[in-house]
Amino acid sequence: MNTNDSAFLTDVLDLLLDVVCVVDTAGRFVFVSGACERVFGYAAGEMIGQPMIDFVFPADRPRTLNAVDEIVAGTHKPHFENRYLRKDGQIVHIMWSAQWSPVRQMRVAVARDVTERKRAESMRAALHAVSEAAFAARDLVALFQRVHHIIGELLPAANFFVALYDETTAELSFPYHADDGFKVLAPRPLDSDTLSAEVIRTGRALLRTSDARAALPARVQLDVGPDSLAWLGVPLKTQKKGVIGALVVQSYSPEVHYAERDVELLEFVCAQVAAAIERKQIEAWLLHASQHDALTGLPNRERLQERMRAALDGPRGHAAPFALLYLDLDMFKQVNDRLGHAAGDLLLQQTARRLEACMRGSDTVGRVGGDEFLVLLDSPAAPQQALEMAERILAALGRPFDLGGEVVSVSPSIGVALWPEHGDDPTRLIRHADEAMYRAKREGGNGFRLAASAPGS
C-alpha cells in the first residue's frame, strides 16, 4: 500500500464513529483512529505509545487482562465489554471486537461506545433492584445497605450516606453512613450550614467538583471528612411529604468525577428510593402502633406477652427468672370524674414517664388498659429485687402530679408475681399478679402484695 492509500485509509477510519485500535505485544497502543477523542476524550497522540491497561477502569483491569490472554491465544472476542476512564474522569462503557494478528504480532480491535445502552439497562436494573429491596429489607438500615450496593453498580459510591429529615423536630438524622475512616454523623438542625441540609432545604440536587466551588453558597460547608474532591447530593422526594431527606455520594480521589449525567441517574434512582423509604416508614409505624398504646406510647398487653413468651422460650434448665408487677392507680376514677378525661389522660401519660424512669435498661413497662400497667422485670437477682422495684414505684408515683395547674395525688396498688413460682406461662403469671394487686387495693391501696404460690394452677 502506497503513502496515498495509507493516508486515505486513515481518513476513512477517522470518519467512523467507532474507534479502531492496534496494540503491540507490550500492550501499548501503536495506532488509534480519530474517533478516540470523541469516545475517550484523548487525542490520538496522547494514547499512542501508552499502555492500553492504564486507560481501563481499575475494577475492570484484571478481567480485561484475562481477555487479552485469550485473544493472544487465538480466541476471537466479538462482544467483550469493559469500562474505560475518559480524560475528564467520566466512565465510558466500551464493547470491543478484537482479534490477534499472528503475522503482525498485534491485536486489532474496534471499540464501540455503548454507555447510553448500558445506562438504560442499569437504570432498569436499579429500578427493579430497589423495588425488590423495599419488600425484602427487614428495616431501613438493611434497605440503605442494599441501596448503597445498587448505586455502587452505577457510579463510584465508596463514600455514601443518607440524611433523613424529621418535620416534628426540624432535624436531620443520618441512619446510614459509610465513609473512609470517618465517624458516624450526629443529628443536626435543618438550618445547619452543610451541603446535605442545603439539598433538603432547596429540594434540588447539588453537584460539587474541584473546579466548580465558586458556584456554591459561601456559607455551605461539607458534612464530613476533609475537603472532598467530588460531592453529589440528591433530594429524596415523595408525592405526599415532599422532601424527606437526601442521598449523598462523595470522593476524596482525584480519579473520581461526577457530572450532570450522574445527577440525572441518581435522581431517577432516588425517586424509587424515596418511595421505598416511605413504605418502610409506614410499615414501621404500623408495627409500632400494633404493639404500643396510643396514649402513653408504652408497649401494650400483646407486646408484653410477646416479651414474656420470648423469655420462656429458652431451655427450661437455663431460662433466667423474671418478675411481673401489675399495678393500678388508686383514686384514678375520682380524678377523671372531677377534672375530666383530658386531665385523666395527662395523669396516665405522666405516670408512664415516671414508671419508665424507674426501669433498668432490660426491664419493660407497658399499659394494659384503663389505669392498669404491667412491669416485666428481667432476671431479678432475687425475689427481693422485685419487691424493691415495687417500693421504688410506690415512691415515684406517690409524689404529687401537676395536671395543667391542678395538683393531684394518687397512689398505686401493686401485685407481684414471680416465674416460675407463680405460673409457667404469661396468662397464669398475669392472673396471679392481677389477683395480688386487687388484694393490695382491698387492703387500702398504696402498697404491694406478693402473689400466693399456686402450684399447678
Side-chain angles (χ1 to χ4, degrees), residues 57-389:
F57 186 68
D60 290 355
R61 289 175 184 175
R63 186 168 58 86
T64 300
L65 291 175
N66 288 336
V68 167
D69 291 340
E70 293 176 8
I71 292 168
V72 173
T75 302
H76 179 45
K77 290 282 186 180
H79 302 296
F80 177 73
E81 293 186 8
N82 64 0
R83 292 169 292 180
Y84 269 58
L85 277 174
R86 283 176 50 88
K87 187 176 182 178
D88 61 7
Q90 294 297 299
I91 295 173
V92 60
H93 293 261
I94 302 296
M95 183 173 70
W96 293 93
S97 177
Q99 194 162 359
W100 173 250
S101 171
V103 175
R104 299 287 186 179
Q105 290 290 293
M106 294 182 181
R107 297 196 312 274
V108 180
V110 177
R112 173 165 295 179
D113 184 353
V114 293
T115 303
E116 290 307 313
R117 173 176 66 79
K118 294 295 291 186
R119 176 179 170 169
E121 291 174 356
S122 297
M123 291 174 74
R124 286 195 297 269
L127 173 61
H128 179 70
V130 171
S131 178
E132 281 192 334
F135 287 100
R138 64 186 179 276
D139 53 30
L140 277 178
V141 173
L143 173 63
F144 295 144
Q145 289 173 336
R146 180 60 185 148
V147 168
H148 185 186
H149 176 77
I150 293 167
I151 291 175
E153 294 292 315
L154 303 175
L155 48 81
N159 304 299
F160 171 96
F161 67 87
V162 177
L164 292 183
Y165 172 56
D166 185 343
E167 282 185 317
T168 59
T169 61
E171 276 193 339
L172 304 184
S173 63
F174 301 87
Y176 185 84
H177 171 234
D179 195 273
D180 291 338
F182 296 102
K183 61 184 180 180
V184 176
L185 298 171
R188 62 193 56 171
L190 180 61
D191 60 2
S192 62
D193 296 335
T194 58
L195 292 175
S196 59
E198 183 76 6
V199 170
I200 295 170
R201 284 194 299 265
T202 63
R204 295 193 301 270
L206 186 55
L207 173 62
R208 179 186 187 275
T209 61
S210 57
D211 56 354
R213 299 179 186 181
L216 296 177
R219 63 186 177 82
V220 174
Q221 304 295 321
L222 285 172
D223 294 271
V224 292
D227 201 15
S228 67
L229 297 176
W231 194 100
L232 172 56
V234 175
L236 294 162
K237 298 180 182 179
T238 66
Q239 291 184 343
K240 293 183 179 179
K241 294 185 177 180
V243 180
I244 62 171
L247 187 151
V248 175
V249 292
Q250 63 179 351
S251 172
Y252 309 113
S253 169
E255 293 184 352
V256 174
H257 300 262
Y258 300 121
E260 287 301 327
R261 66 181 181 183
D262 295 319
V263 175
E264 295 173 6
L265 189 150
L266 210 55
E267 284 178 330
F268 173 83
V269 174
C270 279
Q272 320 308 320
V273 173
I277 291 173
E278 188 174 46
R279 187 180 302 120
K280 280 297 176 188
Q281 288 176 331
I282 291 173
E283 290 175 2
W285 180 84
L286 290 173
L287 178 61
H288 184 275
S290 70
Q291 297 180 336
H292 291 77
D293 171 54
L295 177 65
T296 63
L298 295 177
N300 58 20
R301 180 186 291 267
E302 289 74 20
R303 178 60 178 153
L304 286 165
Q305 288 181 326
E306 284 180 11
R307 288 289 308 272
M308 294 172 68
R309 282 192 291 268
L312 293 171
D313 278 344
R316 291 292 172 146
H318 299 88
F322 63 89
L324 189 68
L325 281 64
Y326 201 123
L327 67 95
D328 172 278
L329 295 180
D330 304 326
M331 298 173 292
F332 175 75
K333 185 176 184 303
Q334 291 90 321
V335 172
N336 223 21
D337 291 343
R338 183 169 65 88
L339 300 179
H341 292 291
D345 288 347
L346 184 57
L347 175 57
L348 293 173
Q349 290 170 335
Q350 292 187 17
T351 297
R353 302 292 80 80
R354 292 191 189 185
L355 288 173
E356 286 180 318
C358 292
M359 299 300 108
R360 305 172 304 169
S362 58
D363 300 332
T364 305
V365 57
R367 181 185 177 214
V368 295
D371 60 330
E372 297 181 341
F373 297 82
L374 272 178
V375 173
L376 179 61
L377 190 61
D378 185 43
S379 302
Q384 182 61 31
Q385 194 173 57
L387 303 182
E388 290 172 357
M389 175 61 77

